[in-house]
Amino acid sequence: MSDPQWWQRGVIYQIYPRSFQDSNDDGIGDLKGIEARLDALVALGIDAIWVSPIFPSPMADFGYDVADYCGIDSRFGTMDDFDSLLAACHARGLKLLLDFVPNHTSDQHPWFAESRASRDNPKRDWYLWRDPAPGGGPPNNWISDFGGSAWEWDEATGQFYYHAFLKEQPDLNWRNPEVVEAMLGVLRFWLDRGVDGFRIDVLWHMVKHADFPDNPPNPAWTPAMGEMFRVLQLHSTDQPEVHGIARDMRRVADGYSPERVLIGEIYLPVERLMDYYGRGAPEVHLPFNFQLIEAPWKAETLARLIADYEAALPAGGWPNWVLGNHDRPRAASRFGPEQARVAAMLLLTLRGTPTIYYGDEIGLADVPIPAERVVDPRELREPGKGLNRDPVRTPMAWDDGDTAGFTRGEPWLPLHDDWRTRNVAAQRGDPGSIWSLYRDLLALRRERAALHVGDWLPVECAGDILAYARRHGDERMLVVLNLGDRPQPFAIPEWAGELAVLLSTRGAGADPARLRADEGLILG
């Protein structure tokens, strides 16, 4: 790559704003808090922050129910606070991405208030309204991702409206050109303000089959999986027309600068995910690749997964990798604290753009939430199904103070039990900490072109070893990861015989011919 964009060579860091830093002692993180911690992120070495929704919202789903796309929720601050944060990011060489939630609004959005006012309201068709099925009941069998029917009866107008998530989150009708233009206007509003791009929430949900047929039953479903999996979302997601909308969004972004980036949240098999790069015309720059979140932590499986993903990429398609986010269990809980270090090395040495979830850099694990402290609507609707997202959204720990430096009030969710030692201040002073490992990985990635823009090539290995080369021009690097809890031999390729160990997840004493348990190495 002769001239990569920042989003190709850089690293994105996701911030869940309620949990990052509280500046006014109400127990909820805010924009001033984020700004106060930017220098710590610069010290870590990231290139961009993606901030989960900060728009005005009743908070039925903690900001993913938007009541005004062009404002700032007072819990997080003001538009002046946002402008200050954006300027502070840019002054430090950081980019700022917003979380755009276009599939649905809050039921408190003025658009929906008009839509439900009467059947002949000009905005009636901005949402998805349908008559009852013959004989009564919902129009079809579609199920909300939060459980229960995806249709809500509106007594006043005698129709159902569709909601893929909570009933407080009615879906917009993206087949209506007025909706399209209004939402593209939202993108322009924030791009005019200077934001560097957007993560687009549930992009694959945005268009539904025009005839609303029943979804087929899922033959593999069991009650333990949760109700949303009872049917296959064949007709309620991933419709062909969504690609036209993605192309429209891309045209808007490209009209500002090739440095403005669009990232699509898309949970689909790889072969369907690739369509969102665009077939014939560009769509999103980075369709999120969640395979590391979902795959078994086995060397053979991951080697095949990485190779298949690389092979599937369309011409010009830039890869990306995600290890955790605000919806899924944390890496330290999935793999354990030692393998979380190996996972960090994997994330930051694969080809493509990585996204780090806040707290992963201190090895934060899922935090047990007492029943009386649960606030996630998904867990409250279907308790005990393993769907609770609260454990991965808990406050960041900055120091060993009584509330971990996050707030001087009562944190909105509990802290992790070991915050006195598992915090940024303690780990920044410890060269062997996972924070220091992340910092060193990010520094090495930035320094070596082979790591941030180079080719990826598989290396033959066996057992619990996953190995691959990174190559750029004459520069060659070798990454070797032991995904097991026992020492493993490794046959160093002949071409790599003169390479030296640059970094180990376990510090000094590394031997690339025999990796220690839970060890990752970078040779160069």
Side-chain angles (χ1 to χ4, degrees):
M1 300 183 65
S2 58
D3 189 23
Q5 297 295 337
W6 73 264
W7 49 266
Q8 293 174 304
R9 62 182 184 271
V11 176
I12 298 168
Y13 181 95
Q14 182 190 355
I15 291 175
Y16 194 71
R18 293 181 71 90
S19 295
F20 198 64
Q21 178 64 58
D22 174 21
S23 71
N24 62 1
D25 303 329
D26 64 356
I28 297 172
D30 47 48
L31 296 177
K32 286 184 177 179
I34 296 172
E35 183 174 345
R37 296 297 186 181
L38 289 180
D39 288 339
L41 297 181
V42 171
L44 183 64
I46 57 96
D47 299 275
I49 61 171
W50 148 34
V51 182
S52 292
I54 52 175
F55 313 113
S57 168
M59 297 292 164
D61 190 22
F62 295 100
Y64 286 92
D65 49 320
V66 177
D68 176 4
Y69 286 99
C70 297
I72 300 294
D73 193 281
S74 60
R75 299 168 183 85
F76 300 130
T78 65
M79 190 63 80
D80 286 344
D81 294 334
F82 175 80
D83 290 340
S84 178
L85 172 61
L86 182 62
C89 285
H90 288 168
R92 290 163 173 80
L94 297 174
K95 306 294 185 181
L96 188 146
L97 312 180
L98 288 181
D99 209 325
F100 182 45
V101 188
N103 176 71
H104 48 265
T105 71
S106 165
D107 63 352
Q108 302 303 305
H109 196 294
W111 296 345
F112 190 66
E114 288 191 54
S115 185
R116 77 188 312 177
S118 68
R119 289 199 184 198
D120 58 1
N121 187 280
K123 284 192 169 58
R124 183 66 169 185
D125 190 51
W126 280 42
Y127 294 84
L128 300 170
W129 295 93
R130 289 293 178 274
D131 290 328
N140 62 26
N141 71 343
W142 294 2
I143 296 172
S144 160
D145 278 17
F146 285 17
S149 173
W151 295 95
E152 182 70 12
W153 176 249
D154 182 67
E155 188 68 37
T157 58
Q159 282 188 313
F160 287 88
Y161 68 84
Y162 178 73
H163 56 92
F165 299 93
L166 295 174
K167 65 181 177 62
E168 293 87 357
Q169 295 169 287
D171 280 40
L172 285 162
N173 177 16
W174 276 87
R175 295 180 182 276
N176 184 322
E178 293 179 346
V179 170
V180 175
E181 189 50 42
M183 295 300 272
L184 295 180
V186 171
L187 295 181
R188 295 186 187 100
F189 174 87
W190 291 106
L191 290 167
D192 286 342
R193 211 160 195 102
V195 303
D196 299 289
F198 301 90
R199 175 265 192 186
I200 304 169
D201 186 60
V202 297
L203 174 58
W204 85 110
H205 267 270
M206 285 174 51
V207 179
K208 290 76 180 170
H209 193 294
D211 298 328
F212 295 88
D214 279 357
N215 276 326
N218 179 0
W221 181 77
T222 65
M225 297 168 63
E227 195 174 3
M228 68 168 284
F229 298 103
R230 187 157 52 84
V231 298
L232 302 174
Q233 295 182 336
L234 179 66
H235 303 301
S236 51
T237 65
D238 194 31
Q239 300 301 295
E241 296 88 346
V242 75
H243 297 286
I245 295 165
R247 289 192 289 271
D248 289 343
M249 291 180 177
R250 178 63 177 268
R251 279 192 290 268
V252 169
D254 286 351
Y256 284 80
S257 164
E259 292 200 343
R260 308 293 178 99
V261 65
L262 300 180
I263 306 171
E265 183 196 24
I266 306 158
Y267 282 94
L268 288 175
V270 167
E271 64 275 10
R272 291 160 65 191
L273 181 70
M274 293 300 123
D275 290 340
Y276 287 80
Y277 281 103
R279 304 289 189 184
E283 298 182 24
V284 295
H285 301 82
L286 300 174
F288 256 149
N289 170 22
F290 296 116
Q291 293 182 92
L292 295 183
I293 293 180
E294 300 180 326
W297 197 246
K298 297 181 181 298
E300 183 180 4
T301 301
L302 292 180
R304 183 170 59 251
L305 175 157
I306 296 164
D308 289 349
Y309 176 72
E310 283 277 352
L313 287 164
W318 185 247
N320 70 94
W321 298 93
V322 181
L323 198 59
N325 63 26
H326 60 290
D327 289 332
R328 308 301 288 270
R330 286 189 177 270
S333 290
R334 300 202 312 273
F335 312 134
E338 295 304 319
Q339 279 294 317
R341 298 168 69 92
V342 178
M345 184 170 281
L346 174 68
L347 175 71
L348 296 176
T349 59
L350 286 171
R351 189 174 80 98
T353 305
T355 297
I356 298 170
Y357 185 47
Y358 87 97
D360 281 358
E361 75 272 27
I362 60 171
L364 188 58
D366 296 2
V367 178
I369 308 296
E372 67 274 11
R373 296 290 300 272
V374 170
V375 293
D376 181 12
R378 196 171 185 183
E379 174 68 11
L380 293 172
R381 287 170 65 94
E382 291 193 89
K385 304 289 189 189
L387 303 174
N388 190 5
R389 300 168 298 176
D390 292 340
V392 306
R393 299 176 174 186
T394 56
M396 185 66 168
W398 296 100
D399 58 40
D400 62 359
D402 288 345
T403 47
F406 166 69
T407 183
R408 288 181 294 184
E410 175 69 20
W412 76 287
L413 281 175
L415 293 163
H416 48 289
D417 288 343
D418 61 347
W419 86 88
R420 301 281 189 188
T421 53
R422 189 174 299 283
N423 62 71
V424 174
Q427 294 199 13
R428 284 185 70 169
D430 176 5
S433 71
I434 189 171
W435 187 95
S436 294
L437 174 65
Y438 267 91
R439 178 202 57 200
D440 294 346
L441 282 165
L442 288 163
L444 186 61
R445 177 187 171 85
R446 180 169 294 181
E447 174 189 333
R448 299 297 184 104
L451 289 180
H452 63 254
V453 293
D455 296 334
W456 174 92
L457 300 105
V459 171
E460 186 175 349
C461 43
D464 291 325
I465 296 291
L466 171 66
Y468 46 90
R470 299 298 311 277
R471 179 184 64 189
H472 182 74
D474 294 332
E475 186 177 52
R476 299 288 189 276
M477 303 187 75
L478 177 65
V479 180
V480 189
L481 308 172
N482 183 359
L483 305 189
D485 59 2
R486 298 178 181 180
Q488 292 279 315
F490 175 65
I492 302 171
E494 184 177 344
W495 63 264
E498 300 301 316
L499 300 183
V501 175
L502 301 178
L503 188 60
S504 166
T505 61
R506 294 196 53 179
D511 176 3
R514 185 171 176 80
L515 275 75
R516 291 169 286 190
D518 305 308
E519 183 174 37
L521 300 177
I522 303 176
L523 286 70

